[in-house]
Amino acid sequence: YGDHRDLHLSLRRQRQMCIRDRVCMKALILSGGHGTRLRPLTYSQQKQLIPVANKPILFYAIEDVIEAGVKEIGIIVGPNKEQVIETVGSKDWNAKIEFIYQGEPKGLAHAILVAEEFLGNDKFVMYLGDNILKNGIVEHMEKFKALSPNSPNSLILLTEVENPQQFGVAELDKNGRVKRLVEKPRIPPSNYALVGIYFFEPVIIEACKNIKPSWRNELEITDAIQWLIENGYRVEASIVKGWWKDTGKPEDILEANRLVLDEVNHNVKGEIANSEVRGRVVINEDTIIRNSIVKGPCIIGEETTIENSYIGPYTSVGRGCRILSSEIEDSIVMDYAEIVNAGRIVDSLIGRNVKIMKSDSLPKSRRFVIGDTSQVWL
């Protein structure tokens, strides 16, 4: 994070500005949990570190809060805390980052209680680390921290969905204030779903301390927000414009990958030999493309070799991969994967250091080493 003395002085100036403006914002980003819906990938890596367009999902959240002016970030970590700390620490960020261990995931409101010392008496944004938002949170941040007697005690981000029965849903009054939150209602009061990004004043800590565990034995953030409403505090909504994805399931990650790749700019740095590169394609340094077709939008990481292969639209190939005599489309291939004579692969999430190979030896057979709760189509 750079020179500690300069960082200290920078943070002190930032705090002085916050005191002057009476608007000091921190960020609490959640990167814990077990990611059971993404197993077997999450047996070996934290779900927020799975890459979308070759960047960990968690990095999108960090970039969003820094873009909005946050200089102090707390990241909630769980069982794979070392992995998160190492990955986040591999990059220089224009913010001070503190890691806060939650242990067992006992709900979003519990995460706030675990971070109470870090949050202090400051306003903050809580951002679920497996969310990706097209347009970031700057507009919503400005709406929340506006200096006004009418500024809300909490601002929650909502988006219109076609299937509100599958989400937490907000009921709004005629002035756009939140009247009630309902979790996965049979008869939804609206089609406005909770996005997973919340702005709070410090009173939310009191709310979290005054709620009971739900049937899941978790302290639910929806219950804490409802406590605010019932105790006379103002909770308002801010509607998200543009796409939003909660990357909790494999199909959501692939959809997020498509959405992000739709906005890439053509940038080819690697070696292209006897190959066709069509559309908006990113090919990083020290990558070699031989006798192949690469059709965008797609991204290919550093030090990767692709020979006699086809890389189709909406594909992200990570660092240090080797792809020979194979076709891949609409998929994510993570770092150091090796795919040889694999035929055509579509709609797939392929983990790190995976090997997929076709054997030409006799007798013909299939050989698998597959983790728990895996799925295989043949």
Side-chain angles (χ1 to χ4, degrees):
Y1 303 114
D3 184 84
H4 293 293
R5 182 175 179 276
D6 290 344
L7 176 60
H8 175 73
L9 292 173
S10 174
L11 289 173
R12 187 168 65 183
R13 284 192 294 269
Q14 180 69 23
R15 291 192 185 98
Q16 289 169 347
M17 290 174 62
C18 289
I19 293 170
R20 182 193 67 197
D21 296 337
R22 295 189 291 121
V23 179
C24 187
M25 291 288 297
K26 292 178 180 176
L28 187 66
I29 300 177
L30 275 60
S31 186
H34 296 292
T36 54
R37 293 181 297 171
L38 285 166
R39 288 177 177 167
L41 287 173
T42 48
Y43 281 125
S44 57
Q45 62 180 307
Q46 188 65 28
K47 66 176 180 177
Q48 293 86 358
L49 301 183
I50 293 173
V52 165
N54 284 4
K55 181 163 64 177
I57 295 167
L58 179 61
F59 283 18
Y60 291 93
I62 297 174
E63 290 170 356
D64 277 358
V65 299
I66 290 176
E67 180 191 26
V70 171
K71 293 296 182 182
E72 293 185 68
I73 302 170
I75 298 182
I76 297 289
V77 294
N80 296 320
K81 60 181 185 295
E82 293 86 1
Q83 196 178 68
V84 176
I85 293 169
E86 180 181 357
T87 303
V88 173
S90 67
K91 182 176 177 180
D92 291 328
W93 301 98
N94 186 28
K96 178 185 177 183
I97 296 181
E98 180 176 327
F99 298 95
I100 303 163
Y101 183 62
Q102 184 182 18
E104 283 298 314
K106 296 180 180 178
L108 303 185
H110 178 257
I112 289 177
L113 294 179
V114 169
E116 181 177 2
E117 183 178 347
F118 165 77
L119 296 171
N121 293 316
D122 296 319
K123 295 183 177 184
F124 67 97
V125 54
M126 183 168 78
Y127 200 132
L128 306 194
D130 53 3
N131 280 238
I132 300 181
L133 212 60
K134 176 182 180 180
N135 295 322
I137 63 169
V138 173
E139 175 187 351
H140 311 288
M141 174 81 83
E142 293 302 321
K143 183 176 179 179
F144 174 67
K145 72 179 185 179
L147 291 176
S148 165
N150 296 319
S151 59
N153 303 106
S154 174
L155 183 75
I156 62 176
L157 270 59
L158 304 175
T159 189
E160 291 190 79
V161 296
E162 296 180 355
N163 52 340
Q165 299 88 346
Q166 299 180 19
F167 297 90
V169 175
E171 180 181 357
L172 308 179
D173 66 16
K174 61 182 180 181
N175 297 315
R177 296 182 184 176
V178 179
K179 290 173 56 179
R180 182 169 62 110
L181 299 177
V182 189
E183 188 65 32
K184 297 182 180 178
R186 259 190 331 143
I187 303 176
S190 77
N191 63 340
Y192 286 113
L194 293 166
V195 163
I197 300 171
Y198 314 83
F199 293 85
F200 292 119
E201 288 188 335
V203 68
I204 190 63
I205 296 174
E206 181 184 354
C208 294
K209 290 178 178 179
N210 278 280
I211 60 174
K212 304 290 186 184
S214 67
W215 63 271
R216 301 190 298 180
N217 199 32
E218 294 186 0
L219 293 177
E220 309 285 357
I221 195 62
T222 49
D223 290 342
I225 296 171
Q226 192 65 40
W227 186 94
L228 292 178
I229 296 169
E230 292 172 358
N231 284 271
Y233 294 98
R234 283 186 47 213
V235 178
E236 293 192 0
S238 191
I239 308 304
V240 169
K241 300 169 185 175
W243 55 259
W244 154 75
K245 288 304 297 183
D246 170 7
T247 57
K249 297 179 290 187
E251 56 267 32
D252 296 325
I253 291 178
L254 291 173
E255 175 63 13
N257 191 61
R258 287 190 285 270
L259 291 167
V260 174
L261 288 178
D262 261 333
E263 300 178 14
V264 300
N265 295 315
H266 187 79
N267 186 12
V268 175
K269 297 179 181 178
E271 177 186 336
I272 311 298
N274 196 30
S275 298
E276 295 182 41
V277 176
R278 307 173 188 167
R280 290 174 291 110
V281 174
V282 176
I283 299 177
N284 283 282
E285 295 176 349
D286 300 320
T287 282
I288 300 172
I289 313 292
R290 292 196 185 102
N291 304 315
S292 297
I293 296 174
V294 179
K295 187 175 180 181
C298 69
I299 184 170
I300 300 172
E302 300 90 345
E303 301 174 0
T304 284
T305 298
I306 297 173
E307 294 185 2
N308 302 310
S309 295
Y310 168 71
I311 306 298
Y314 301 110
T315 299
S316 295
V317 179
R319 180 190 186 97
C321 295
R322 182 169 171 258
I323 301 174
L324 307 180
S325 302
S326 302
E327 299 181 15
I328 305 175
E329 188 169 302
D330 204 355
S331 297
I332 294 175
V333 181
M334 300 183 203
D335 293 351
Y336 305 106
E338 189 170 355
I339 302 172
V340 179
N341 295 321
R344 183 170 174 79
I345 296 173
V346 298
D347 302 329
S348 298
L349 273 174
I350 298 172
R352 296 172 300 178
N353 299 300
V354 165
K355 294 184 185 295
I356 301 176
M357 301 186 181
K358 178 184 177 181
S359 174
D360 293 325
S361 61
L362 295 175
K364 296 288 186 180
S365 61
R366 294 184 172 96
R367 180 174 180 267
F368 304 106
V369 179
I370 301 173
D372 296 349
T373 69
S374 295
Q375 299 179 13
V376 177
W377 287 268
L378 298 174

